[in-house]
Amino acid sequence: MYKTILVLFFGVILLSSCSHKDDVVPFARVDIDTACDPNTVYFVNDVQPIINSSCAYNGCHDVVTHADGIDLSSYSSIMSDGEIIAGNPNNSEFYEEIEKGEMPPNGALSSSQQQLIHDWILQGAKNNECVSGNCDSVNVNFSSVVMPILSSNCQGCHNGSNPAGGISITNYNEVAILAHNGKLLATIKHLNGYSPMPKNGNKLNDCSIAQIQKWINDGYPNN
């Protein structure tokens, strides 16, 4: 009788453990839209690049270092820390620290980046992505196309008083130097002999690379 109770007891524990693991699975599933809704903030397209660039790097909140026990390298790890309350950014510790400028340590996110994260949480903090077949690589300018790409994907490391590699890309003049010497295009294309960028994230999508190349080919105007 005693053995039977033990078997049942441990059986319940095992079932509970399996159930807990199953609960985590949805975090890894990406909801993909075949068209990008301008009113929707997408984690993969909009939020993850900001976090990878500004937070989830070596020495901070990447999978290896996980400073203060916090790993921000994936959607699952971001959500598992309990610092984000889906639908309620103002009560989410993750957003509160960003809004106060306490994180990232290299400098506060821009107001537009903060707004993206705020709206993403408000919309349910979904693991979502959009894939759009529309890529305008003809009408490209610096202020509305090139700089937003660099701001989301690279500026987290390359800003402040001690930017990575001594390279800052916070304004046109700084970016123009990299465009002129060829380093900007070489790094985002992951060419041999150059450090691939973004450092902590995936390679930029084909559309973003084509847009930056078009801007450079046009003489990298300050437009």
Side-chain angles (χ1 to χ4, degrees):
M1 178 68 178
Y2 179 70
K3 290 182 178 180
T4 301
I5 293 174
L6 283 177
V7 169
L8 290 172
F9 176 74
F10 285 111
V12 170
I13 292 178
L14 289 172
L15 286 173
S16 298
S17 299
C18 291
S19 175
H20 177 70
K21 290 179 180 178
D22 289 342
D23 289 342
V24 179
V25 171
F27 285 159
R29 187 180 64 245
V30 180
D31 295 326
I32 301 177
D33 290 347
T34 55
C36 295
D37 181 354
N39 297 317
T40 299
V41 180
Y42 296 91
F43 175 76
V44 174
N45 304 73
D46 305 311
V47 177
Q48 190 171 32
I50 297 173
I51 295 175
N52 284 344
S53 173
S54 303
C55 311
Y57 55 85
N58 185 37
C60 200
H61 298 297
D62 66 338
V63 67
V64 176
T65 310
H66 52 270
D68 299 323
I70 298 175
D71 174 13
L72 300 177
S73 62
S74 70
Y75 178 83
S76 298
S77 60
I78 291 171
M79 297 302 293
S80 66
D81 287 328
E83 294 190 352
I84 292 178
I85 301 175
N88 195 340
N90 294 328
N91 284 330
S92 297
E93 186 176 349
F94 179 80
Y95 176 70
E96 289 177 356
E97 292 185 359
I98 290 174
E99 186 181 33
K100 293 176 182 177
E102 296 176 359
M103 295 295 292
N106 288 341
L109 296 180
S110 67
S111 58
S112 60
Q113 290 174 324
Q114 291 183 29
Q115 190 65 48
L116 279 173
I117 294 175
H118 173 279
D119 292 347
W120 171 68
I121 297 175
L122 186 65
Q123 293 173 8
K126 298 175 182 178
N127 189 13
N128 54 354
E129 178 182 8
C130 71
V131 180
S132 176
N134 299 321
C135 177
D136 186 356
S137 59
V138 176
N139 302 302
V140 179
N141 59 46
F142 177 77
S143 60
S144 65
V145 178
V146 175
M147 197 60 198
I149 294 173
L150 300 179
S151 178
S152 294
N153 293 278
C154 312
Q155 205 174 81
C157 294
H158 297 287
N159 78 99
S161 59
N162 187 29
I167 299 173
S168 180
I169 53 171
T170 60
N171 57 55
Y172 169 78
N173 291 332
E174 293 171 344
V175 177
I177 292 173
L178 300 176
H180 177 73
N181 62 28
K183 290 184 178 180
L184 176 59
L185 198 57
T187 55
I188 64 173
K189 282 191 168 184
H190 294 191
L191 298 184
N192 290 334
Y194 294 87
S195 178
M197 295 293 168
K199 188 73 172 180
N200 308 295
N202 297 325
K203 183 179 180 181
L204 295 181
N205 59 51
D206 292 341
C207 179
S208 295
I209 293 175
Q211 289 173 323
I212 292 175
Q213 182 159 13
K214 177 63 166 58
W215 173 72
I216 293 175
N217 291 344
D218 288 343
Y220 41 93
N222 186 7
N223 52 9

